[in-house]
Amino acid sequence: MVDDKRIRLEFGREEYYFYFLTAEGDAVAEESREIAANHKQRPESAAIQNCRYRIEFYGEDDQNMDYFNDFFGLMEEVKKIRGTVIFDYPNARFFGDT
């Protein structure tokens, strides 16, 4: 399913969903500046500083972690898109950093 603000990926027939949602505005711009300021050493910090929108990615609750590997598999595929930067908010680091 897709519209102008989101994409929903369905795993299995009505079994589990992942979402990509467009977020934009002043709050996103402020968070982008904060990320860039906190990660000045990263080559992409200049581009991040000026971002006014982002794509948020999340899945439904997965208590049994049945879709844990699928989540990371999707992130690996998204990471292949040229110019894409993936920031992990809960862990305050970039996807793929150890």
Side-chain angles (χ1 to χ4, degrees):
M1 185 185 98
V2 64
D3 62 30
D4 63 339
K5 292 286 185 183
R6 65 186 172 154
I7 296 173
R8 181 181 76 191
L9 299 177
E10 181 178 339
F11 277 65
R13 184 71 183 140
E14 297 181 0
E15 188 174 316
Y16 187 82
Y17 298 102
F18 286 108
Y19 299 90
F20 292 86
L21 174 69
T22 303
E24 56 191 326
D26 293 339
V28 171
E30 178 62 28
E31 289 175 351
S32 295
R33 287 189 295 273
E34 289 173 7
I35 291 168
N38 291 332
H39 300 277
K40 290 179 186 175
Q41 75 282 8
R42 297 210 45 118
E44 58 273 84
S45 66
I48 293 169
Q49 180 175 335
N50 298 316
C51 286
R52 295 195 53 77
Y53 77 94
R54 67 175 172 240
I55 306 298
E56 297 177 351
F57 171 67
Y58 59 95
E60 295 181 326
D61 288 338
D62 185 15
Q63 294 179 355
N64 296 326
M65 298 182 71
D66 296 327
Y67 298 93
F68 181 81
N69 290 332
D70 298 308
F71 175 89
F72 286 102
L74 284 168
M75 287 295 89
E76 287 295 336
E77 290 302 313
V78 168
K79 189 174 162 184
K80 293 176 184 177
I81 299 169
R82 187 174 174 192
T84 299
V85 177
I86 302 175
F87 189 73
D88 176 0
Y89 278 95
N91 295 306
R93 63 183 183 172
F94 290 85
F95 181 74
D97 288 355
T98 54

